[in-house]
Amino acid sequence: MRIAVDAMGGDFAPKEIVRGALEAAKKYDCEILLVGDEEKIRTELHGENIDALHISIVHAAEVIGMNEHPAEAVRAKKDASVVVATRLVKDGTCDAVFSAGSTGAAVAAAQLILRRIKGVGRPAIATPMPTPDGVTLMLDSGANVDSKPEHIVQSAVMGSFYAQYVFGVRRPRIGLLNIGEEATKGNEQAKETYELLAAERNIHFCGNAEGRDVPKGSFDVVVCDGFVGNVVLKFAEGLAKTILGLIKEEVRSGGLMAKLGALLLVPTLRRLGKRLDVREYGGAPLLGVDGCCVIGHGSSDAKSVASAIGATVDYVNGKVLDQIREALAKEERSNA
Amino acid sequence: MRIAVDAMGGDFAPKEIVRGALEAAKKYDCEILLVGDEEKIRTELHGENIDALHISIVHAAEVIGMNEHPAEAVRAKKDASVVVATRLVKDGTCDAVFSAGSTGAAVAAAQLILRRIKGVGRPAIATPMPTPDGVTLMLDSGANVDSKPEHIVQSAVMGSFYAQYVFGVRRPRIGLLNIGEEATKGNEQAKETYELLAAERNIHFCGNAEGRDVPKGSFDVVVCDGFVGNVVLKFAEGLAKTILGLIKEEVRSGGLMAKLGALLLVPTLRRLGKRLDVREYGGAPLLGVDGCCVIGHGSSDAKSVASAIGATVDYVNGKVLDQIREALAKEERSNA
């Protein structure tokens, strides 16, 4: 299996991306093509023993920045790292692409180059959110806004296959993010979506999920509009960071006893951090495009990159795309 | 000042409501009318020394349950505690009403009995969300869904006055909850709302707020559609609960050192809990109705009730309603 890695995307690129790719190449059965500025990548690889690893470099002269207009930049910069990496999947050289750069650019490159799977109206980003017993997959967490009810239903079908074939959940429980448990609750979009989800045979729809059900893990997959999902995702990141900051501040101002207590709790807190750390759960697949594309967090360090590449390997091995293609083709036939 | 308290509303009513009301009557300069089943309230008051306190009972024979249809229940049960309590504000007996029962019922009662302030399209629930340095007021957190851009702008004006006259923020920073910082980001609703907020003279609009800005406290007031606000509010509650549960679980399974560490950290964690505890920040005012109405969390205990009644006292003292009435009347004149 070959994975194209956008070496220039992310707040700590190329250093952390290259380090993470090395870690992944050691850990998983895959070949990695680092895409980006050859000289900079070589500098990062300098001194590393990569003889036994399947790592190569594909030069790409340009980079798409965080503040560029995604679709325009993808069209204008034919030689941008994320564009070149995505093309490697399109032409069959690679099985998947991973980028921790501008999410918008990765989505635009995937949409323009890989195109959507036949029958899919809108692709969706599926983000694994940590819960006490594993993860809840939340989608769409920001590929699109103003989703139509049928797009949210397709997200549910795609997310269900991902949870089944990548996470190994036998019969994923699907929930619709809403403001109450009853079928009649919510805005117009949610009410219409509820009806469609209840009638969809490819999934095990379990009803409405309230905001609290996401961290609780009451569902395996929670679907929502991309606007709502993105707000929730960033809120979660912000809240976790705020709480950690407050703990540090309180310990610092808490005197000797608090410091000693914190010291004794280090292994516990570390284990807790591991369970809550999004980095442990790897990247977020962009479901609905015709090729494996996985998106990493902008602040990814080597550890997150390695874990995301691991998720990418599982994604390819799970043959999720085949499942989605087949299910949606069947749906098209039965609608015709 | 007289406050009508719905003694029957909430998961732990009437016990915790009555206890909280007693605490508030001791602490704040107000008279409290406990509305609900007289016999049950008397039982709770039994043994308490209330001679020095201004507390009385107004009998109401019915209760609106959590699963009843709000507007229908308010219309059908003329003698429900929340209906009677709200009427006490309408007829001038009380200055404000507080309920920790069904949020939908409290909103419906306020809308049907107190009516909206002239010029207000939709009322909004303004929830104080804890941040490291105080609170961010988030509205609408669930009074309505499918809000129009002009409703969100009115929320901003009302929230701004509340932050100014109740929290004492001189020039509240207003943010629009969105998925990116740039003015062009977001769904159709957010883009239209941005334009209107930028043109609104009654507020200090500071641009888009992302999900992470709410717990961070980058803004004093964050406005959004009621669907999004409600999902975020419940997500926050769920995440906080999940994290606390995980800490307990890890400490329990962490051996003697972890237990000793946790013990030494108790005062620190308690201080932290106090800073993050929504109960410290009292109830959420329903802004836009023509009378002071404050909503408490369903799981309110005596402490939360007392603190919410304190917020209600501040709300009345701040004369926020006068400010809102005046600003919106001016707006209507200038639009005419």
Side-chain angles (χ1 to χ4, degrees), chain A residues 131-153:
Chain A
T131 70
D133 307 305
V135 294
T136 294
L137 198 66
M138 182 179 74
L139 71 169
D140 175 24
S141 55
N144 288 288
V145 294
D146 291 320
S147 317
K148 291 203 178 110
E150 50 268 37
H151 301 146
I152 302 179
V153 175

Side-chain angles (χ1 to χ4, degrees), chain A residues 146 178-179 187-188 210 212 215 227 230 234 239 246-247 249-250 258 261 264-265 268 271-272 275, chain B residues 146 178-179 187-188 210 212 215 227 230 234 239 246-247 249-250 257-258 261 265 268 271-272 275:
Chain A
D146 291 320
N178 205 334
I179 58 170
N187 54 15
E188 288 308 316
E210 292 193 86
R212 64 176 74 97
F227 185 90
N230 190 268
K234 288 179 181 158
L239 186 58
L246 283 176
I247 291 180
E249 193 187 310
E250 289 289 353
L264 291 171
L265 269 180
T268 304
R271 238 177 11 250
L272 177 70
R275 286 176 72 172
Chain B
D146 292 319
N178 205 335
I179 59 169
N187 54 14
E188 288 309 315
E210 293 193 85
R212 65 176 73 97
F227 185 89
N230 190 268
K234 287 179 182 159
L239 187 58
L246 283 176
I247 292 180
E249 192 188 311
E250 289 289 351
M257 285 299 160
L265 270 180
T268 303
R271 232 171 21 244
L272 177 69
R275 286 176 70 172

Side-chain angles (χ1 to χ4, degrees), chain A residues 226-248:
Chain A
F227 185 90
V228 180
N230 190 268
V231 165
V232 167
L233 178 62
K234 288 179 181 158
F235 180 86
E237 284 173 18
L239 186 58
K241 215 179 234 177
T242 299
I243 292 179
L244 279 179
L246 283 176
I247 291 180
K248 275 186 199 151

Side-chain angles (χ1 to χ4, degrees), chain B residues 146-161:
Chain B
D146 292 319
S147 318
K148 292 205 180 111
E150 50 268 36
H151 300 146
I152 302 180
V153 175
Q154 291 187 332
S155 286
V157 173
M158 298 190 295
S160 183
F161 282 122

